[in-house]
Amino acid sequence: MGKTSIEWTDRVWNPTRGCSMVSPGCEACYAMKQAHRFSGKGQPYEGLTKLTKKGRGAVWTGEVRFVEEMLELPLSWREPSRIFVNSMSDLFHEGFSNEAIAAVFGVMAACPQHTFQILTKRPDRMRAWFECV
């Protein structure tokens, strides 16, 4: 994980994996198709995607994982960077505990040299989470 060719960001950081579809826009999600490529036995996205019977290709199973060993990665990046948080997941997915989300924000707070970019399809959860902190 790290440098990317995505034009609006410099790096990606995925301390979480997996998602579930919450809107029609999710059907075109590049992440679930990419994750499916790495969903075989023993691979990072095992059990997080499945093939549909309707021939639509891979979809998320709804299972998510907090990947603690990825948490501290941005602490090692010294050069100021724009970092896309969870290009392969949604930090505000209902399957992630408030503590897991807080851990991700803790790392972001410890890295003021970086600009972190978070995209979510769950703005209500995000708003509620910030109201509780």
Side-chain angles (χ1 to χ4, degrees):
M1 226 173 309
K3 299 211 178 208
T4 181
S5 61
I6 300 171
E7 66 186 42
W8 47 266
T9 196
D10 303 312
R11 294 179 177 270
V12 295
W13 173 44
N14 293 300
T16 66
R17 293 182 184 143
C19 205
S20 54
M21 296 171 53
V22 295
S23 76
C26 294
E27 291 196 28
C29 177
Y30 76 92
M32 66 184 170
K33 308 217 183 323
Q34 180 75 5
H36 191 69
R37 294 176 52 207
F38 301 98
S39 66
K41 190 88 169 141
Q43 293 190 334
Y45 292 88
E46 179 181 0
L48 301 181
T49 66
K50 63 182 177 183
L51 290 175
T52 65
K53 293 180 180 166
K54 297 179 182 176
R56 289 188 346 211
V59 295
W60 293 116
T61 62
E63 182 183 337
V64 295
R65 291 188 199 124
F66 179 63
V67 189
E68 197 167 341
E69 61 268 21
M70 301 303 284
L71 200 54
E72 295 183 5
L73 192 58
L75 298 170
S76 66
W77 297 333
R78 299 289 169 221
E79 182 180 328
S81 300
R82 295 170 298 171
I83 301 170
F84 180 8
V85 180
N86 291 325
S87 64
M88 300 292 289
S89 186
D90 187 329
L91 183 60
F92 292 98
H93 188 281
E94 55 279 358
F96 295 120
S97 69
N98 287 334
E99 293 78 15
I101 297 169
V104 172
F105 273 94
V107 171
M108 289 190 275
C111 298
Q113 73 274 28
H114 301 313
T115 299
F116 291 91
Q117 301 164 301
I118 299 172
L119 300 178
T120 185
K121 288 217 173 222
R122 294 163 172 85
D124 294 338
R125 168 104 196 265
M126 180 179 71
R127 186 178 306 108
W129 190 85
F130 278 105
E131 288 172 353
C132 289
V133 243

